[in-house]
Amino acid sequence: MDTTETMAAKTIFANATANFHQAARLLGGRFKDDLLEKVYQPMERIEMTYGPVMSDGKIHVVKGFIVRHSDALGPAKGGIRMAPTVTLDDVTGLAMEMTWKCALIGVPFGGGKSGIIADPERLSPVDKETIMRRFATMGYRHIGPQIYVPAPDMGTTEADMGYVKDAICYSHGQATTPGCFVTGKPVILGGIRGRKEATGRGVAICIVEAFRMLGRHPDGATAIVQGFGNVGSHSALALAGRGLKIIGVSDIRGAVYDAKGLDVKALVTYAADRCTVKDFPGGQDVDGQDLLEMDCDVLVPAATANQITEDNALRIKAKIIGEGANSPTTPQADEILCERKVVVLPDILCNAGGVFVSYLEYMQETQQEQMSEQEVVTRLTKRMTEKLQGVWRLAEDRTFTLRQAAMVRAVSAVCEARIARGFLT
Ligand code: NAD
């Protein structure tokens, strides 16, 4: 088996690998090494290069990746990340995490992910649409209801999923296509109500349930949220709606703080207008890295990977960390937080609300139905709560961390699906 775990876990892929190997060890011989090797390895990694003419009249060479890590439980599911630094290895690590996330939350999907090397902050809307359309038409042999179903991730939005749908439909020469090719679309194009809010809402549901499991009430507890995009803003809104006080928020450009609590709705409006939370008049500007270490009950990293590391884990004051982002905590930081008895709600559980509601969208489109937002919220709440309780009980029974318990459960489910399928492929 790969020994990448021996290198310092500083990349998403290294984090995912270390977490997998730890789970494999904790499974204590329940599955054979060759099966574990099979479920660990990515099944398909595609690199694409395309060259659209952009609004400056020049050809721009853009690289994109699609990784299907596993189809043991169903078609690969996972978002499209657009970032200037995204790599094929990042996408592979994120696809692996999707395999465990889908297995843990109990949806019939495998793990997948895409990446586009581009800077969404610097692209005009027209150029971003062009890049999304080229990604979809180049990648469309690898996208489909039974193959890989993308969704939004960091740097891509609901609107972008509309362009992906449109580009694929017109590649078929049709106004629409049978089945669901992409989730997180605008509602008018077959999207589902409550998908945009689902990941952040799921984060809040998990955090509130964690308070309950600890015998505490979340009313008036303080929270800090890193990242104010889709996941961060909806986590903040949903936590505030459940009685928590949001005292600090950051994005890539700055951070704001108010010990008395920020007006999150006003902050959403402000950030939509200015593309940042910086200089929000209802708070005081602070340093984004310092914000992570300020006094609070709950910290929600909802930006990007490797934000909580061995360098700052000792100084984090939060008692509960709800991972909205994928892979925000390195394995080394995890050990420090575990010793300090900080409750870490792991990404594959805490941010799984998005993929769960994507599954509802997939079902809705396949069955030509429409689900109300209330129905979506009810199903999301039930699923997140049940899964958190199950992972919590396993962690208590076996003296695991919540991440170890979640990973053991997820890896077991994928191994069992592989055994059930047989090994001719
Ligand atoms: P997004 O692009 O909508 O927002 C990202 C936010 O993070 C922005 O506000 C950006 O300014 C901020 N940010 C980036 N780097 C930062 C830094 N170093 N410090 C502070 N802020 C920083 O992305 P998103 O969809 O909200 O995704 C955020 C994270 O959540 C990613 O890790 C993503 O993989 C994960 N995630 C997203 C979904 C989803 O449904 N969108 C689902 C599960 C997990």
Side-chain angles (χ1 to χ4, degrees), residues 232-316:
S233 64
H234 288 292
S235 297
L237 283 167
L239 287 168
R242 286 162 176 78
L244 284 90
K245 192 159 72 171
I246 311 300
I247 58 170
V249 160
S250 67
D251 63 25
I252 189 93
R253 297 195 174 128
V256 284
Y257 175 82
D258 185 349
K260 295 196 294 301
L262 297 159
D263 178 344
V264 183
K265 281 189 186 152
L267 191 53
V268 168
T269 310
Y270 177 90
D273 199 38
R274 312 278 179 104
C275 296
T276 180
V277 298
K278 195 171 180 311
D279 296 331
F280 175 59
Q284 171 200 339
D285 276 356
V286 291
D287 178 79
Q289 284 306 308
D290 292 348
L291 188 73
L292 296 177
E293 299 169 17
M294 289 169 90
D295 246 328
C296 63
D297 297 305
V298 177
L299 176 63
V300 180
T304 186
N306 295 325
Q307 296 303 299
I308 304 176
T309 67
E310 67 270 41
D311 298 331
N312 62 3
L314 271 172
R315 294 191 301 275
I316 302 268

Coordinates of all heavy atoms in Angstrom, one line a residue, residues 232-316:
G232 N -20.1 29.0 4.2 CA -19.9 29.9 5.3 C -21.1 30.7 5.6 O -21.6 30.8 6.7
S233 N -21.6 31.4 4.6 CA -22.7 32.3 4.8 C -24.0 31.5 5.3 O -24.7 32.0 6.2 CB -23.0 33.1 3.5 OG -23.5 32.3 2.5
H234 N -24.2 30.4 4.6 CA -25.4 29.6 5.1 C -25.3 29.0 6.4 O -26.2 28.8 7.2 CB -25.9 28.7 4.0 CG -26.5 29.4 2.8 ND1 -27.7 30.0 2.9 CD2 -26.0 29.6 1.5 CE1 -27.9 30.6 1.7 NE2 -26.9 30.3 0.9
S235 N -24.0 28.6 6.8 CA -23.8 28.1 8.1 C -24.1 29.2 9.1 O -24.7 29.0 10.2 CB -22.3 27.7 8.3 OG -22.0 26.6 7.5
A236 N -23.6 30.4 8.8 CA -23.7 31.5 9.8 C -25.2 31.8 9.9 O -25.7 32.0 11.1 CB -23.0 32.7 9.3
L237 N -25.9 31.9 8.8 CA -27.4 32.2 8.9 C -28.1 31.1 9.7 O -29.0 31.4 10.5 CB -28.0 32.3 7.5 CG -27.7 33.5 6.7 CD1 -28.0 33.3 5.2 CD2 -28.4 34.8 7.3
A238 N -27.8 29.9 9.4 CA -28.5 28.8 10.1 C -28.2 28.7 11.5 O -29.0 28.4 12.4 CB -28.2 27.4 9.4
L239 N -26.9 29.0 11.9 CA -26.5 29.0 13.3 C -27.2 30.1 14.1 O -27.8 29.9 15.2 CB -25.0 29.1 13.5 CG -24.2 27.8 13.1 CD1 -22.7 28.1 13.0 CD2 -24.5 26.7 14.1
A240 N -27.2 31.3 13.4 CA -27.9 32.4 14.0 C -29.4 32.1 14.2 O -30.0 32.5 15.3 CB -27.7 33.7 13.2
G241 N -30.0 31.5 13.2 CA -31.4 31.1 13.3 C -31.7 30.1 14.4 O -32.8 29.9 14.8
R242 N -30.6 29.4 14.9 CA -30.8 28.4 15.9 C -30.3 28.9 17.3 O -30.0 28.2 18.2 CB -30.1 27.1 15.6 CG -30.8 26.3 14.5 CD -30.0 25.3 13.8 NE -30.7 24.5 12.9 CZ -31.1 24.9 11.6 NH1 -30.8 26.1 11.2 NH2 -31.8 24.1 10.9
G243 N -30.2 30.3 17.4 CA -29.9 30.9 18.7 C -28.4 31.1 19.0 O -28.1 31.6 20.1
L244 N -27.5 30.8 18.1 CA -26.1 31.1 18.4 C -25.8 32.5 18.0 O -26.4 33.1 17.2 CB -25.2 30.1 17.6 CG -25.1 28.7 18.2 CD1 -26.2 27.8 17.6 CD2 -23.7 28.1 18.1
K245 N -24.7 33.0 18.6 CA -24.3 34.4 18.3 C -23.1 34.3 17.5 O -22.0 33.8 17.9 CB -24.0 35.1 19.7 CG -23.8 36.6 19.6 CD -24.1 37.2 20.9 CE -22.9 36.9 21.9 NZ -22.9 37.7 23.1
I246 N -23.2 34.9 16.2 CA -22.0 34.9 15.3 C -21.1 36.1 15.6 O -21.5 37.2 15.3 CB -22.5 34.9 13.8 CG1 -23.6 33.9 13.6 CG2 -21.3 34.7 12.9 CD1 -23.2 32.4 13.9
I247 N -20.0 35.9 16.2 CA -19.2 37.0 16.7 C -18.0 37.3 15.7 O -17.4 38.4 15.8 CB -18.6 36.8 18.1 CG1 -17.7 35.5 18.1 CG2 -19.7 36.8 19.1 CD1 -17.0 35.4 19.4
G248 N -17.7 36.4 14.7 CA -16.7 36.7 13.8 C -16.8 36.0 12.5 O -17.3 34.8 12.5
V249 N -16.5 36.6 11.4 CA -16.6 36.0 10.1 C -15.4 36.5 9.2 O -15.0 37.7 9.3 CB -18.0 36.5 9.4 CG1 -17.9 36.3 7.9 CG2 -19.1 35.7 10.0
S250 N -14.9 35.6 8.3 CA -13.8 36.1 7.5 C -14.0 35.6 6.0 O -14.9 34.7 5.8 CB -12.5 35.5 8.0 OG -12.5 34.1 7.8
D251 N -13.3 36.2 5.1 CA -13.2 35.7 3.8 C -11.8 35.9 3.3 O -10.9 36.3 4.1 CB -14.3 36.3 2.8 CG -14.1 37.8 2.6 OD1 -13.0 38.3 2.8 OD2 -15.2 38.5 2.3
I252 N -11.5 35.7 2.0 CA -10.1 35.8 1.6 C -9.6 37.2 1.7 O -8.4 37.4 1.8 CB -10.0 35.2 0.1 CG1 -8.6 35.1 -0.4 CG2 -10.7 36.1 -0.9 CD1 -8.0 33.7 -0.1
R253 N -10.5 38.2 1.7 CA -10.0 39.6 1.7 C -9.9 40.2 3.1 O -9.3 41.3 3.3 CB -10.9 40.4 0.9 CG -10.9 40.0 -0.6 CD -11.5 41.0 -1.5 NE -11.3 40.6 -2.9 CZ -12.3 40.5 -3.8 NH1 -13.5 40.8 -3.4 NH2 -12.0 40.1 -5.0
G254 N -10.6 39.7 4.1 CA -10.6 40.3 5.4 C -11.5 39.6 6.4 O -12.1 38.5 6.1
A255 N -11.6 40.2 7.6 CA -12.4 39.5 8.6 C -13.1 40.6 9.5 O -12.5 41.7 9.7 CB -11.5 38.6 9.5
V256 N -14.3 40.3 10.0 CA -14.9 41.3 10.9 C -15.3 40.5 12.2 O -15.6 39.3 12.2 CB -16.2 41.9 10.3 CG1 -15.8 43.0 9.3 CG2 -17.1 40.9 9.7
Y257 N -15.4 41.3 13.3 CA -15.6 40.8 14.6 C -16.5 41.7 15.4 O -16.3 42.9 15.3 CB -14.3 40.6 15.3 CG -14.4 40.1 16.8 CD1 -14.6 38.8 17.0 CD2 -14.3 41.0 17.8 CE1 -14.7 38.3 18.4 CE2 -14.4 40.6 19.1 CZ -14.6 39.3 19.4 OH -14.7 38.8 20.7
D258 N -17.4 41.2 16.2 CA -18.1 42.0 17.2 C -18.6 41.0 18.3 O -19.3 40.1 18.1 CB -19.4 42.6 16.6 CG -20.1 43.5 17.6 OD1 -19.7 43.5 18.8 OD2 -21.0 44.3 17.1
A259 N -18.0 41.3 19.5 CA -18.3 40.4 20.7 C -19.8 40.3 21.0 O -20.3 39.4 21.6 CB -17.5 40.8 21.9
K260 N -20.5 41.4 20.6 CA -22.0 41.4 20.9 C -22.8 40.6 19.9 O -24.0 40.4 20.0 CB -22.5 42.9 21.0 CG -21.8 43.7 22.1 CD -22.6 45.0 22.4 CE -22.5 46.0 21.3 NZ -21.1 46.4 20.9
G261 N -22.1 40.2 18.8 CA -22.8 39.5 17.7 C -23.0 40.3 16.5 O -23.4 41.5 16.6
L262 N -22.7 39.7 15.3 CA -22.9 40.4 14.1 C -24.3 40.2 13.5 O -24.9 39.1 13.8 CB -21.9 39.8 13.0 CG -20.4 40.0 13.3 CD1 -19.6 39.0 12.5 CD2 -19.9 41.4 13.0
D263 N -24.8 41.2 12.8 CA -26.1 41.0 12.1 C -25.8 40.2 10.8 O -25.4 40.8 9.8 CB -26.7 42.4 11.9 CG -28.0 42.3 11.1 OD1 -28.3 41.3 10.5 OD2 -28.7 43.4 11.1
V264 N -26.0 38.9 10.9 CA -25.6 38.1 9.7 C -26.4 38.4 8.5 O -25.8 38.4 7.4 CB -25.7 36.6 10.1 CG1 -25.2 35.7 9.0 CG2 -25.0 36.2 11.4
K265 N -27.7 38.7 8.6 CA -28.4 39.0 7.4 C -27.9 40.3 6.7 O -27.7 40.3 5.5 CB -29.9 39.2 7.7 CG -30.6 37.8 7.9 CD -32.1 38.0 8.0 CE -32.8 36.7 8.3 NZ -34.0 36.8 9.0
A266 N -27.6 41.3 7.5 CA -27.0 42.5 7.0 C -25.7 42.2 6.3 O -25.3 42.8 5.3 CB -26.9 43.6 8.0
L267 N -24.9 41.3 7.0 CA -23.6 41.0 6.4 C -23.7 40.3 5.1 O -22.9 40.5 4.2 CB -22.9 40.1 7.5 CG -21.4 39.9 7.3 CD1 -20.6 41.1 7.1 CD2 -20.9 39.1 8.5
V268 N -24.7 39.4 4.9 CA -24.9 38.7 3.7 C -25.2 39.8 2.6 O -24.6 39.7 1.5 CB -26.1 37.7 3.8 CG1 -26.5 37.2 2.4 CG2 -25.7 36.5 4.7
T269 N -26.1 40.7 2.9 CA -26.4 41.7 1.9 C -25.1 42.6 1.5 O -24.9 42.8 0.4 CB -27.5 42.7 2.4 OG1 -28.5 41.8 2.9 CG2 -28.0 43.6 1.4
Y270 N -24.4 42.9 2.6 CA -23.2 43.8 2.4 C -22.2 43.0 1.5 O -21.6 43.5 0.5 CB -22.6 44.1 3.8 CG -21.3 44.8 3.7 CD1 -21.3 46.2 3.7 CD2 -20.1 44.2 3.7 CE1 -20.1 46.9 3.7 CE2 -18.9 44.9 3.7 CZ -18.9 46.2 3.7 OH -17.7 46.9 3.6
A271 N -21.9 41.7 1.8 CA -20.9 40.9 1.1 C -21.4 40.7 -0.3 O -20.5 40.6 -1.2 CB -20.7 39.6 1.8
A272 N -22.7 40.5 -0.6 CA -23.2 40.3 -1.9 C -22.8 41.6 -2.8 O -22.5 41.5 -4.0 CB -24.6 40.0 -1.9
D273 N -22.9 42.7 -2.1 CA -22.7 44.0 -2.8 C -21.2 44.3 -3.0 O -20.8 44.7 -4.1 CB -23.3 45.0 -1.9 CG -23.6 46.3 -2.7 OD1 -24.0 46.2 -3.8 OD2 -23.4 47.4 -2.1
R274 N -20.4 44.0 -2.0 CA -19.0 44.4 -2.0 C -18.0 43.3 -2.4 O -16.8 43.5 -2.4 CB -18.5 45.0 -0.7 CG -19.4 46.0 -0.1 CD -19.1 47.4 -0.7 NE -20.0 48.4 -0.1 CZ -19.6 49.2 0.8 NH1 -18.4 49.3 1.2 NH2 -20.5 50.1 1.3
C275 N -18.6 42.0 -2.5 CA -17.8 40.8 -2.7 C -16.8 40.6 -1.5 O -15.7 39.9 -1.7 CB -17.0 40.9 -4.0 SG -18.1 40.9 -5.4
T276 N -17.0 41.1 -0.4 CA -16.2 40.9 0.8 C -16.9 41.3 2.1 O -17.9 42.1 2.0 CB -14.8 41.6 0.8 OG1 -14.1 41.3 1.9 CG2 -15.0 43.1 0.7
V277 N -16.5 40.7 3.2 CA -17.0 41.2 4.5 C -16.2 42.3 5.1 O -16.6 42.9 6.1 CB -17.1 40.0 5.5 CG1 -18.0 38.9 5.0 CG2 -15.7 39.4 5.8
K278 N -15.0 42.6 4.5 CA -14.1 43.6 5.0 C -14.8 44.9 5.1 O -15.6 45.3 4.2 CB -12.9 43.7 4.0 CG -11.7 44.4 4.5 CD -10.6 44.2 3.5 CE -9.3 44.8 3.8 NZ -9.2 46.1 4.1
D279 N -14.5 45.7 6.1 CA -15.0 47.0 6.3 C -16.6 47.1 6.6 O -17.2 48.1 6.4 CB -14.7 48.0 5.1 CG -13.3 48.2 4.9 OD1 -12.5 48.2 6.0 OD2 -12.8 48.4 3.8
F280 N -17.1 45.9 7.0 CA -18.6 45.9 7.3 C -18.8 46.9 8.5 O -18.1 46.8 9.5 CB -19.0 44.5 7.7 CG -20.4 44.3 8.2 CD1 -21.4 44.7 7.4 CD2 -20.6 43.8 9.5 CE1 -22.7 44.5 7.8 CE2 -22.0 43.7 9.9 CZ -23.0 44.0 9.1
P281 N -19.7 47.8 8.3 CA -19.8 48.9 9.4 C -20.4 48.3 10.7 O -20.1 48.9 11.7 CB -20.9 49.8 8.7 CG -21.4 49.2 7.5 CD -20.5 48.1 7.1
G282 N -21.0 47.1 10.7 CA -21.5 46.6 11.9 C -20.5 45.7 12.7 O -20.9 45.0 13.6
G283 N -19.2 45.9 12.4 CA -18.2 45.1 13.1 C -16.8 45.8 13.0 O -16.7 46.8 12.3
Q284 N -15.9 45.1 13.7 CA -14.5 45.7 13.7 C -13.6 44.8 12.8 O -13.7 43.6 13.0 CB -14.1 45.7 15.1 CG -12.7 46.1 15.4 CD -12.3 45.6 16.9 OE1 -13.2 45.3 17.7 NE2 -11.0 45.4 17.1
D285 N -12.8 45.4 11.9 CA -11.9 44.6 11.1 C -10.8 44.0 11.9 O -10.2 44.7 12.8 CB -11.3 45.5 10.0 CG -12.2 45.7 8.8 OD1 -13.3 45.0 8.8 OD2 -11.9 46.4 7.9
V286 N -10.6 42.7 11.7 CA -9.5 42.0 12.4 C -8.8 41.1 11.4 O -9.2 41.0 10.2 CB -10.1 41.1 13.6 CG1 -10.6 41.9 14.7 CG2 -11.1 40.1 13.0
D287 N -7.7 40.5 11.8 CA -6.9 39.7 10.9 C -7.6 38.3 10.8 O -8.0 37.7 11.8 CB -5.5 39.5 11.5 CG -4.6 38.6 10.6 OD1 -4.1 39.1 9.6 OD2 -4.5 37.4 11.0
G288 N -7.6 37.8 9.6 CA -8.3 36.5 9.3 C -7.7 35.4 10.1 O -8.5 34.5 10.5
Q289 N -6.4 35.3 10.1 CA -5.8 34.2 10.8 C -6.0 34.3 12.3 O -6.2 33.3 13.0 CB -4.3 34.1 10.5 CG -4.0 33.5 9.1 CD -4.7 32.1 8.9 OE1 -4.5 31.2 9.6 NE2 -5.4 32.0 7.8
D290 N -5.9 35.5 12.9 CA -6.1 35.7 14.3 C -7.5 35.3 14.7 O -7.8 34.8 15.8 CB -6.0 37.2 14.7 CG -4.5 37.6 14.6 OD1 -3.6 36.8 14.4 OD2 -4.3 38.9 14.6
L291 N -8.5 35.5 13.8 CA -9.9 35.2 14.1 C -10.1 33.7 14.5 O -10.8 33.4 15.4 CB -10.8 35.5 12.9 CG -12.3 35.5 13.1 CD1 -12.8 36.6 13.9 CD2 -13.0 35.4 11.7
L292 N -9.3 32.9 13.8 CA -9.4 31.4 14.1 C -9.1 31.1 15.6 O -9.6 30.1 16.1 CB -8.5 30.6 13.2 CG -8.7 30.6 11.7 CD1 -7.7 29.8 11.0 CD2 -10.1 30.1 11.4
E293 N -8.3 32.0 16.2 CA -7.8 31.7 17.5 C -8.5 32.5 18.6 O -8.1 32.5 19.8 CB -6.3 32.0 17.6 CG -5.5 31.1 16.6 CD -4.0 31.6 16.4 OE1 -3.5 32.3 17.3 OE2 -3.4 31.2 15.4
M294 N -9.5 33.2 18.2 CA -10.2 34.1 19.2 C -11.2 33.2 20.0 O -11.6 32.2 19.6 CB -10.9 35.2 18.5 CG -9.9 36.2 18.0 SD -10.5 37.5 16.9 CE -11.0 38.7 18.0
D295 N -11.5 33.8 21.2 CA -12.4 33.1 22.1 C -13.8 32.8 21.5 O -14.4 33.8 21.0 CB -12.7 34.0 23.4 CG -12.1 33.3 24.6 OD1 -12.1 32.1 24.7 OD2 -11.6 34.1 25.5
C296 N -14.3 31.6 21.5 CA -15.6 31.3 21.0 C -16.0 29.9 21.5 O -15.1 29.1 21.8 CB -15.7 31.4 19.5 SG -14.6 30.3 18.6
D297 N -17.2 29.5 21.4 CA -17.6 28.1 21.7 C -17.5 27.2 20.4 O -17.1 26.1 20.5 CB -19.1 28.1 22.1 CG -19.3 28.9 23.4 OD1 -18.6 28.6 24.4 OD2 -20.1 29.8 23.5
V298 N -17.8 27.8 19.3 CA -17.8 27.0 18.0 C -17.0 27.7 17.0 O -17.1 28.9 16.8 CB -19.3 26.9 17.5 CG1 -19.4 26.1 16.2 CG2 -20.2 26.3 18.6
L299 N -16.2 26.9 16.3 CA -15.5 27.4 15.1 C -15.9 26.6 13.9 O -15.9 25.4 13.9 CB -14.0 27.2 15.3 CG -13.1 27.7 14.2 CD1 -13.2 29.1 13.8 CD2 -11.6 27.3 14.5
V300 N -16.3 27.3 12.8 CA -16.7 26.7 11.6 C -15.7 27.1 10.5 O -15.8 28.1 9.9 CB -18.1 27.1 11.1 CG1 -18.5 26.4 9.8 CG2 -19.1 26.7 12.2
P301 N -14.7 26.2 10.2 CA -13.9 26.5 9.0 C -14.7 26.1 7.8 O -15.0 25.0 7.6 CB -12.7 25.5 9.2 CG -13.1 24.5 10.2 CD -14.3 25.0 10.9
A302 N -15.0 27.1 7.0 CA -15.9 26.9 5.8 C -15.2 27.5 4.6 O -15.9 28.1 3.7 CB -17.3 27.4 6.1
A303 N -13.9 27.5 4.5 CA -13.2 28.2 3.4 C -12.5 27.1 2.5 O -13.0 26.7 1.5 CB -12.3 29.2 3.9
T304 N -11.3 26.7 3.0 CA -10.5 25.9 2.2 C -9.7 24.9 3.1 O -10.0 24.8 4.3 CB -9.6 26.8 1.4 OG1 -8.8 26.0 0.5 CG2 -8.6 27.6 2.2
A305 N -8.8 24.1 2.5 CA -8.2 23.0 3.2 C -7.0 23.6 4.1 O -6.5 24.7 3.9 CB -7.6 22.0 2.3
N306 N -6.6 22.7 5.1 CA -5.4 23.0 5.9 C -5.3 24.3 6.6 O -4.3 25.0 6.6 CB -4.1 22.8 5.0 CG -4.0 21.4 4.4 OD1 -4.3 20.5 5.2 ND2 -3.6 21.3 3.2
Q307 N -6.4 24.7 7.2 CA -6.5 25.9 8.0 C -6.2 25.7 9.4 O -5.7 26.6 10.1 CB -7.9 26.6 7.8 CG -8.2 27.0 6.4 CD -7.2 27.9 5.9 OE1 -7.0 29.0 6.4 NE2 -6.4 27.5 4.9
I308 N -6.4 24.5 9.9 CA -6.1 24.2 11.3 C -5.0 23.1 11.3 O -5.2 22.0 10.8 CB -7.4 23.6 12.1 CG1 -8.5 24.7 11.9 CG2 -7.0 23.3 13.5 CD1 -9.8 24.2 12.5
T309 N -3.8 23.6 11.7 CA -2.6 22.8 11.5 C -1.9 22.7 12.9 O -2.4 23.2 13.9 CB -1.6 23.5 10.5 OG1 -1.2 24.7 11.2 CG2 -2.3 23.8 9.2
E310 N -0.8 21.9 12.9 CA 0.0 21.8 14.1 C 0.5 23.2 14.6 O 0.8 23.4 15.7 CB 1.1 20.8 14.0 CG 2.3 21.2 13.1 CD 2.0 20.7 11.7 OE1 0.9 20.8 11.1 OE2 3.0 20.3 11.0
D311 N 0.5 24.2 13.7 CA 1.0 25.5 14.1 C 0.0 26.3 14.9 O 0.4 27.2 15.7 CB 1.3 26.3 12.8 CG 2.5 25.7 12.0 OD1 3.3 25.0 12.6 OD2 2.5 25.9 10.8
N312 N -1.3 26.1 14.7 CA -2.3 26.9 15.4 C -3.2 26.1 16.3 O -4.0 26.6 17.1 CB -3.1 27.8 14.5 CG -3.9 27.1 13.5 OD1 -4.0 25.8 13.5 ND2 -4.6 27.8 12.6
A313 N -3.2 24.7 16.2 CA -4.2 23.9 16.9 C -4.1 24.1 18.4 O -5.2 24.1 19.1 CB -3.9 22.4 16.6
L314 N -2.9 24.4 19.0 CA -2.8 24.6 20.4 C -3.5 25.9 20.9 O -3.9 26.0 22.0 CB -1.4 24.6 20.9 CG -0.7 23.3 21.2 CD1 0.8 23.5 21.4 CD2 -1.3 22.7 22.5
R315 N -3.6 26.8 19.9 CA -4.2 28.1 20.3 C -5.6 28.3 20.0 O -6.2 29.3 20.3 CB -3.4 29.3 19.6 CG -1.9 29.3 20.1 CD -1.2 30.6 19.6 NE -1.3 30.7 18.1 CZ -0.4 30.1 17.3 NH1 0.7 29.4 17.8 NH2 -0.5 30.2 16.0
I316 N -6.2 27.3 19.4 CA -7.7 27.4 19.1 C -8.5 27.3 20.4 O -8.2 26.4 21.2 CB -8.1 26.2 18.1 CG1 -7.3 26.2 16.8 CG2 -9.6 26.2 17.9 CD1 -7.8 27.0 15.7

